[in-house]
């Protein structure tokens, strides 16, 4: 059998620890035997980030802009403990943060559903994708603690020196104040990324804020979404048979719980932080959550939502076999390959991506899974296997499908 050809390279961002080990196994066992894999390789492992003074992260993001599709392995975001462990010159910033800032993207997280792992909300038969706005609000706040009587005001000084003031509160005693902001251009990018992703995946888009209470701040989000929708997307949504739906955040959470899933839920920064953890947990496992960063101009970066699974890596280093779940990383590859196939008109590559995902799900539904899933699965004939055995079992099913 001849290998499936590619046209444009994928931007390949390698990473750290256990996911770096899994990365290579996925390529060796599931991709290289079938695809004439074209990638432009960037090593975002911490060792190489440190050697290049993190330049490699910037270069990989620029390459993503150039080619349009990237696939990324989980990477270490250094903390104090990593400084001596990797003999770091600096506590390098989160690669995901750097890449997100360069691509100006929105992150979409979607759970992978399999038979035998039942969501805690039994009506959720389809995935709910959370889109989180990743700029501003409480994440870029300014806070003050007040210890005596006095007046707190919001002051805006324009470039000509004119001041606009709003009273926040006349303090009779001690208290606290917080200043937050957002930008129209960032909210607009977020809105466009959400509308594009909804069209791309043919799913309804929900958006919710607290605009009844926050009549200027949250209301601005609602207005920007509505304006962009009317002007740029309404006709295309109608043509695709999908819907844009705005509601109050309280109403949204109630509807989400009663829903069957199958839509995108756009969330402001804080709502997205909190709700994505709730939704991920309710679907069963962080190791079954995919993540894609979409920029407003249509650039895509696929990854798993989990980290580098450090604890398993240390076991691996001691020579022990681990049972680390590779599903979200496999889906990062299949997502990127499918998108590359779509953009380059390579139907064979798209079909391969579909089969790779089906083979992965079939393996789990046949009862072969890693330990984290075996602990959750209600299947009777389930068997917990190590990392590599799972990938070989996927390959057996993939070969049959090809
Ligand atoms: P983690 O890698 O997500 O793992 C936390 C725990 O969740 C693991 O110890 C494991 O539990 C379970 N788990 C996560 N993924 C799993 C998988 N694929 N298979 C089986 N179990 C899985 O988070 P962490 O250990 O807190 O973080 C490790 C490093 O990852 C940190 O340096 C952090 O900076 C980085 N990180 C990177 C990204 C990214 O690049 N996108 C995201 C988050 C964190 P048990 O140990 O109980 O088996
Ligand atoms: Mg969080």
């Amino acid at each position: 059998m001849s290998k499936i050809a590619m046209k444009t390279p994928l931007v390949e961002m390698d990473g750290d620890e256990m996911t770096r080990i899994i990365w290579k196994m996925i390529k060796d066992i599931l991709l290289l035997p079938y695809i004439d894999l074209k990638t432009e390789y960037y090593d975002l492992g911490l060792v190489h980030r440190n050697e290049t003074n993190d330049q490699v992260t910037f270069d990989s993001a620029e390459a993503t802009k150039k080619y349009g599709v990237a696939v990324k392995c989980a990477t270490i975001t250094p903390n104090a403990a990593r400084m001596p462990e990797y003999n770091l010159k600096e506590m390098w910033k989160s690669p995901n943060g750097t890449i997100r800032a360069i691509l100006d993207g929105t992150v979409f997280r979607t759970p992978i559903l399999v038979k035998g792992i039942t969501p805690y909300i039994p009506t959720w038969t389809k995935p709910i994708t959370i889109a989180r706005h990743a700029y501003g609000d409480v994440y870029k706040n300014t806070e003050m603690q007040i210890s005596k009587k006095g007046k707190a005001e919001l002051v805006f000084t324009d470039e000509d020196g004119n001041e606009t003031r709003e009273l926040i509160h006349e303090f009779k005693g001690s208290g606290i104040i917080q200043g937050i902001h957002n930008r129209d251009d960032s909210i607009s990018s977020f809105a466009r990324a959400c509308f594009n992703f909804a069209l791309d995946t043919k799913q309804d888009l929900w958006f919710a804020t607290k605009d009844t209470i926050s009549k200027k701040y949250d209301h601005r989000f609602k207005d920007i979404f509505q304006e962009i929708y009317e002007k740029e997307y309404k006709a295309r949504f109608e043509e695709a048979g999908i819907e844009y739906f705005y509601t109050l955040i309280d109403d949204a959470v109630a509807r989400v719980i009663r829903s069957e899933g199958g839509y995108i839920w756009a969330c402001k920064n804080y709502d997205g932080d909190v709700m994505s953890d709730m939704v991920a947990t309710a679907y069963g496992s962080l190791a079954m959550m995919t993540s894609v960063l979409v920029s407003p101009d249509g650039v895509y970066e696929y990854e798993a939502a989990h980290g580098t699974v450090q604890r398993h890596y240390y076991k691996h280093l001691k020579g022990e076999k681990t049972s680390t779940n590779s599903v979200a990383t496999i889906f990062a590859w299949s997502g990127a390959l499918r998108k590359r196939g779509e953009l380059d008109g390579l139907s064979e590559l798209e079909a391969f991506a579909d089969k790779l995902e089906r083979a992965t799900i079939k393996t789990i539904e046949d009862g072969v899974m890693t330990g984290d899933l075996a602990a959750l699965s209600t299947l009777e004939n389930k068997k917990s296997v190590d990392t590599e055995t799972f990938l070989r079992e996927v390959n057996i099913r993939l070969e049959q499908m090809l």
Side-chain angles (χ1 to χ4, degrees), residues 132 273-274 276-277:
R132 173 182 170 188
D273 185 352
V274 176
S276 64
D277 279 346

Side-chain angles (χ1 to χ4, degrees), residues 94-105:
S94 151
N96 289 60
T98 302
I99 294 165
R100 198 158 55 215
I102 293 173
L103 300 181
D104 183 22

Side-chain angles (χ1 to χ4, degrees), residues 116-117 363-371 373-385:
I117 296 179
T363 307
I364 300 167
E365 295 184 343
D366 285 348
V368 181
M369 61 195 86
T370 44
L373 294 186
L376 298 170
S377 175
T378 52
L379 294 183
E380 276 171 16
N381 58 341
K382 65 189 174 189
K383 190 170 93 182
S384 171
V385 297

Side-chain angles (χ1 to χ4, degrees), residues 17 72-77 82 96 286-287 303-312 323-326 372:
E17 299 193 313
K72 181 180 171 291
C73 179
T75 46
I76 293 170
T77 298
R82 302 295 195 169
N96 289 60
L286 189 61
E303 64 176 326
H306 60 77
T308 60
V309 214
Q310 181 180 16
R311 207 181 61 84
H312 294 211
S323 184
T324 315
N325 191 332
S326 55
D372 57 316

